[in-house]
Amino acid sequence: MQDGARRIALDRSAWTPDVAAFTTQLFDQLASVWNAERSTGRADPLLDALARGGDFPSGICLEIGSGTSEFTPILADAFGRVIALDISMAMLRQADPPPGARVRADAARLPLADQAVVAVACVDTLLFPAEISRVLAPGGVLIWVNQLGADGPLFLPTTTVIEALGGGWEAVEADAGWGKWAVVRRAA
Ligand SMILES: C[S@@+](CC[C@H](N)C(=O)[O-])C[C@H]1O[C@@H](n2cnc3c(N)ncnc32)[C@H](O)[C@@H]1O
């Protein structure tokens, strides 16, 4: 799966309607067991990124691939306002009402204006760099978390994340618990 995640990050044309439909169906099917199969310490990398990833602006955070919204309350605490967005309606339906908006949409075509958010958080999901770059306000941050580190099915190293964003970005990164995180900002 890492090869597929890398192709999608680096080549917009890899996200075809068929791939989008397959992904939606896959997570629709996984939704009913998603919360039952959680391991411990899943929040550690995100909490560590927020604690040690530098200064964060306050404003709207867009959580891409929010799934069952396990991490949405953490992001709401950190940023004040959060939009939990996922392509799978079944995953969104498994979530407790999140502290913010819940949106079904494809992150390859975000239903947001340019520069609308101060942060984008991606926890174990696919990277859609052009859309992330478009919706991030100046000074905005991308929080990229892989809960299983380099073993995660959707893992991308930070160098690939920056390459996909098109250069001109810089990151701090660390290991935390089972996972890895990077906080990525436009270079000054
Ligand atoms: C591995 S799950 C992680 C869910 C959640 N972040 C977690 O860690 O529990 C990946 C999530 O990304 C969502 N996703 C995949 N492609 C997406 C896309 N193009 N737009 C929005 N969400 C997407 C899936 O539906 C799924 O809920």
Side-chain angles (χ1 to χ4, degrees):
M1 278 188 95
Q2 287 188 2
D3 284 348
R6 182 182 161 82
R7 260 197 309 281
I8 289 162
L10 293 173
D11 177 4
R12 261 181 122 148
S13 68
W15 187 251
T16 63
D18 282 353
V19 175
F22 173 82
T23 305
T24 306
Q25 198 179 20
L26 174 69
F27 284 102
D28 279 351
Q29 284 168 359
L30 289 173
S32 63
V33 294
W34 196 260
N35 288 349
E37 295 186 351
R38 284 184 293 195
S39 53
T40 56
R42 280 173 41 93
D44 291 351
L46 177 61
L47 289 169
D48 196 50
L50 292 168
R52 297 197 298 135
D55 293 332
F56 290 97
S58 61
I60 301 173
C61 172
L62 172 67
E63 181 187 11
I64 291 180
S66 55
T68 56
S69 268
E70 182 179 353
F71 305 111
T72 310
I74 294 172
L75 293 166
D77 279 350
F79 290 97
R81 282 184 290 169
V82 63
I83 300 168
L85 179 144
D86 203 285
I87 201 168
S88 162
M89 184 61 92
M91 290 291 266
L92 290 165
R93 283 199 174 122
Q94 284 290 323
D96 290 333
R102 182 162 34 176
V103 176
R104 190 209 169 237
D106 184 346
R109 286 181 298 278
L110 289 170
L112 291 171
D114 296 355
Q115 303 185 356
V117 301
V118 300
V120 173
C122 295
V123 180
D124 277 358
T125 193
L126 295 165
L127 181 71
F128 294 92
E131 280 296 84
I132 289 171
S133 178
R134 182 181 70 76
V135 301
L136 269 181
V141 297
L142 167 63
I143 303 169
W144 177 251
V145 173
N146 292 277
Q147 295 176 86
L148 296 176
D151 293 332
L154 303 178
F155 171 75
L156 295 176
T158 305
T159 48
T160 303
V161 173
I162 288 177
E163 180 188 349
L165 285 164
W169 296 71
E170 58 194 13
V172 289
E173 62 179 341
D175 294 350
W178 303 107
K180 288 180 178 291
W181 58 260
V183 174
V184 188
R185 298 177 167 83
R186 285 192 173 89

